């Protein structure tokens, strides 16, 4: 990260919410780390150090602050950004410029920083991508190139054609055979999740800080020969509703259709996972027995680990035969929380 220590200290001193999720501050004298917005008294600059991920702080031996709870929703999307995202989703032809951000009391540099960190592109590039995906969908549903372009806010057909070609490599008129996987951020009490879906259903649901996420996205893109783009998808609506109910403790089963990507063996293992009832756990060995190959515990454990649709394909319900939680792609603390939730020990 190119932010200077002075800048981060100042941001933390000001409790500047623009820096939420951008850095965390460790206090050397207490061994505790905080969010930038923490209400606890700020230490002297010489007694702090900064981290760009909570994990780095933990690895250095810092404990999470009890006041600002930096591990709860550590990569959460700030409300102002959530607002921007939902406006774009409601009207993809919107063009939110730096000037508009300033009008809303937002710092364009902060918005840019957040999108670069979480999406790898600037806010403006994000808007362009979102718009292009919306136009692509209209084309695919049979709309005319001209209508699709103008409804999505393109000012000229040539501009639309050029953007389209940049991403898909073909002109809009030939774009029908192309495929797009939609991607969306979803906020949950355990942190931000990334969801992907095609027309058949959800193909990915992962916590945004999962290390394997970029690899998983690449897998999906390769499998479907598709571009993964920010965009809306009807399956996201169902997913968000059911996920919210799950976290409220009022939903035990998901009905949203899935479109999982994996080998035949993995698909079989995941199907078995889906049959573990809510609120119960199973060992890898028991799972291998059910699959009829008691010796393939390792392969089963591997396939579990490669599950890309967490929570709905409940790999968190599989534990070691000694009862220990063992690993979890989203972090063992999340596995623990999910199991507690399902045993209705509320957060
Ligand atoms: Zn704190």
């Amino acid at each position: 990260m190119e932010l200077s220590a002075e800048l981060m200290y100042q941001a933390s001193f000001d409790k500047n919410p623009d820096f939420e999720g951008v850095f965390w501050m460790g206090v050397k004298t207490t061994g505790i780390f905080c969010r930038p917005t923490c209400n606890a008294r700020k230490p002297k600059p010489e007694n702090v150090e900064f981290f760009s991920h909570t994990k780095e702080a933990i690895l250095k031996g810092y404990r999470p602050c009890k006041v600002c709870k930096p591990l709860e929703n550590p990569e959460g999307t700030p409300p102002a950004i959530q607002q921007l995202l939902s406006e774009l989703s409601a009207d993809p032809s919107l063009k939110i410029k730096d000037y508009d951000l300033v009008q809303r009391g937002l710092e364009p540099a902060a918005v840019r920083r957040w999108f670069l960190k979480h999406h790898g592109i600037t806010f403006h590039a994000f808007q362009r991508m979102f718009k292009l995906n919306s136009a692509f969908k209209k084309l695919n549903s049979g709309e005319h190139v001209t209508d699709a372009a103008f409804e999505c806010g393109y000012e000229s057909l040539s501009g639309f054609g050029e953007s389209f070609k940049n991403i898909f490599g073909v002109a809009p008129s030939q774009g029908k055979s192309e495929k797009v996987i939609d991607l969306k951020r979803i906020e949950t009490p355990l942190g931000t999740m990334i969801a992907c879906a095609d027309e058949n259903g959800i193909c990915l649901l992962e916590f945004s800080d999962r290390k394997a996420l970029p690899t998983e996205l690449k897998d999906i893109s390769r499998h479907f020969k598709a571009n993964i783009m920010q965009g809306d998808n009807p399956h996201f609506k169902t997913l968000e509703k059911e996920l919210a109910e799950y976290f409220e403790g009022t939903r035990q089963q998901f009905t949203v259709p899935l479109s999982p990507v994996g080998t035949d063996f993995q698909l079989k293992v995941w199907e078995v996972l889906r049959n573990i009832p809510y609120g119960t756990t199973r060992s890898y060995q028991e799972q291998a027995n059910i699959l009829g190959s008691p010796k393939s515990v390792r392969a089963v454990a591997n396939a579990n680990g490669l599950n890309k649709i967490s929570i709905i394909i409940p790999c968190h319900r599989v534990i070691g035969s000694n009862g220990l939680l063992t690993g979890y792609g989203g972090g063992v603390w999340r596995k623990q929380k999910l199991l507690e939730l399902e045993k209705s020990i509320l957060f």
Side-chain angles (χ1 to χ4, degrees), residues 259-299:
S259 178
V261 172
T263 63
D264 288 347
F265 178 72
Q266 287 164 354
L267 293 173
K268 228 161 81 187
V269 170
W270 299 338
E271 206 42 57
V272 171
L273 277 178
R274 287 210 80 182
N275 292 326
I276 309 178
Y278 179 92
T280 65
T281 55
R282 202 179 265 169
S283 70
Y284 294 105
Q285 183 64 63
E286 288 171 306
Q287 215 196 340
N289 295 348
I290 291 169
L291 276 159
S293 45
K295 289 213 170 112
S296 60
V297 183
R298 253 200 132 101

Side-chain angles (χ1 to χ4, degrees), residues 164 169-178:
F164 196 93
V170 294
S173 54
Q174 283 135 38
K176 278 227 157 161
S177 53
E178 297 296 317

Side-chain angles (χ1 to χ4, degrees), residues 160-193:
F160 173 53
E162 209 172 296
S163 306
F164 196 93
K165 210 164 175 187
N166 276 339
I167 294 289
F168 295 103
V170 294
S173 54
Q174 283 135 38
K176 278 227 157 161
S177 53
E178 297 296 317
K179 180 162 167 131
V180 160
I181 302 285
D182 299 300
L183 179 148
K184 185 172 192 188
R185 298 172 67 83
I186 296 178
E187 306 305 320
T188 80
L190 290 184
T192 302
M193 298 191 87

Side-chain angles (χ1 to χ4, degrees), residues 36-331:
T37 53
C38 185
N39 280 320
R41 246 186 72 201
K42 302 292 178 182
K44 295 193 179 122
E46 59 268 32
N47 290 332
V48 302
E49 60 180 318
F50 298 97
F51 303 100
S52 47
H53 294 280
T54 52
K55 200 188 226 162
E56 296 165 21
I58 291 165
L59 286 177
K60 273 199 108 172
Y62 283 97
R63 281 166 296 119
C65 167
K66 292 234 166 76
V67 179
C68 62
K69 303 193 171 99
L71 286 185
E72 285 181 16
N73 204 356
E75 305 269 327
T77 309
I81 304 270
Q82 283 184 40
Q83 174 66 25
L84 289 175
L85 291 174
S86 66
E87 278 177 46
L88 276 181
S89 167
D91 178 6
S93 73
L94 270 186
K95 201 171 190 177
I96 305 173
K97 298 185 174 154
D98 281 356
Y99 172 80
D100 306 310
L101 295 176
V102 174
Q103 292 294 89
R104 294 152 177 257
L106 295 173
E107 178 70 61
V111 173
R112 182 190 171 84
R113 200 157 45 228
W114 188 89
F115 275 90
L116 275 173
K117 175 167 180 186
H118 292 96
H119 290 286
I121 48 177
T122 64
F123 178 50
H124 298 296
F126 179 94
Q127 291 189 70
R128 282 196 296 274
M129 195 73 110
F130 196 85
K131 190 158 75 167
L132 185 62
N133 192 359
S134 309
F136 172 81
K137 292 224 164 54
K138 286 182 190 287
L139 277 182
N140 254 13
S141 70
E143 268 196 43
H144 227 263
V145 174
T146 320
D147 296 340
F150 290 110
E151 278 168 29
C152 291
Y154 285 94
E155 277 147 22
S156 73
L157 264 187
S158 61
F160 173 53
E162 209 172 296
S163 306
F164 196 93
K165 210 164 175 187
N166 276 339
I167 294 289
F168 295 103
V170 294
S173 54
Q174 283 135 38
K176 278 227 157 161
S177 53
E178 297 296 317
K179 180 162 167 131
V180 160
I181 302 285
D182 299 300
L183 179 148
K184 185 172 192 188
R185 298 172 67 83
I186 296 178
E187 306 305 320
T188 80
L190 290 184
T192 302
M193 298 191 87
I194 302 292
C196 289
D198 68 355
E199 64 279 15
N200 298 318
I202 303 297
C203 41
L204 178 133
L205 181 65
E206 290 283 21
F207 288 99
S208 63
D209 52 7
R210 171 159 192 186
K211 240 211 204 112
L213 185 57
T215 318
E216 293 180 337
L217 291 174
K218 240 179 255 161
D219 265 6
I220 289 174
S221 159
R222 203 179 306 130
H223 175 87
F224 289 117
K225 296 188 181 62
N227 288 286
I228 298 181
M229 292 169 82
Q230 313 289 334
D232 269 333
N233 183 299
H235 297 303
F236 288 153
K237 253 199 192 108
T238 319
L239 173 66
E240 284 176 291
K241 179 175 171 286
E242 296 192 344
L243 210 50
E245 292 165 351
Y246 171 81
F247 278 109
E248 280 160 16
T250 57
R251 172 170 293 276
Q252 308 200 341
Q253 259 159 13
F254 290 87
T255 68
V256 62
L258 302 185
S259 178
V261 172
T263 63
D264 288 347
F265 178 72
Q266 287 164 354
L267 293 173
K268 228 161 81 187
V269 170
W270 299 338
E271 206 42 57
V272 171
L273 277 178
R274 287 210 80 182
N275 292 326
I276 309 178
Y278 179 92
T280 65
T281 55
R282 202 179 265 169
S283 70
Y284 294 105
Q285 183 64 63
E286 288 171 306
Q287 215 196 340
N289 295 348
I290 291 169
L291 276 159
S293 45
K295 289 213 170 112
S296 60
V297 183
R298 253 200 132 101
V300 168
N302 259 335
N304 273 5
L306 292 172
N307 172 29
K308 300 180 198 55
I309 310 179
S310 49
I311 297 181
I312 303 180
I313 297 180
C315 54
H316 61 278
R317 292 182 197 146
V318 180
I319 57 175
S321 35
N322 49 9
L324 291 179
L325 287 189
T326 67
Y328 186 57

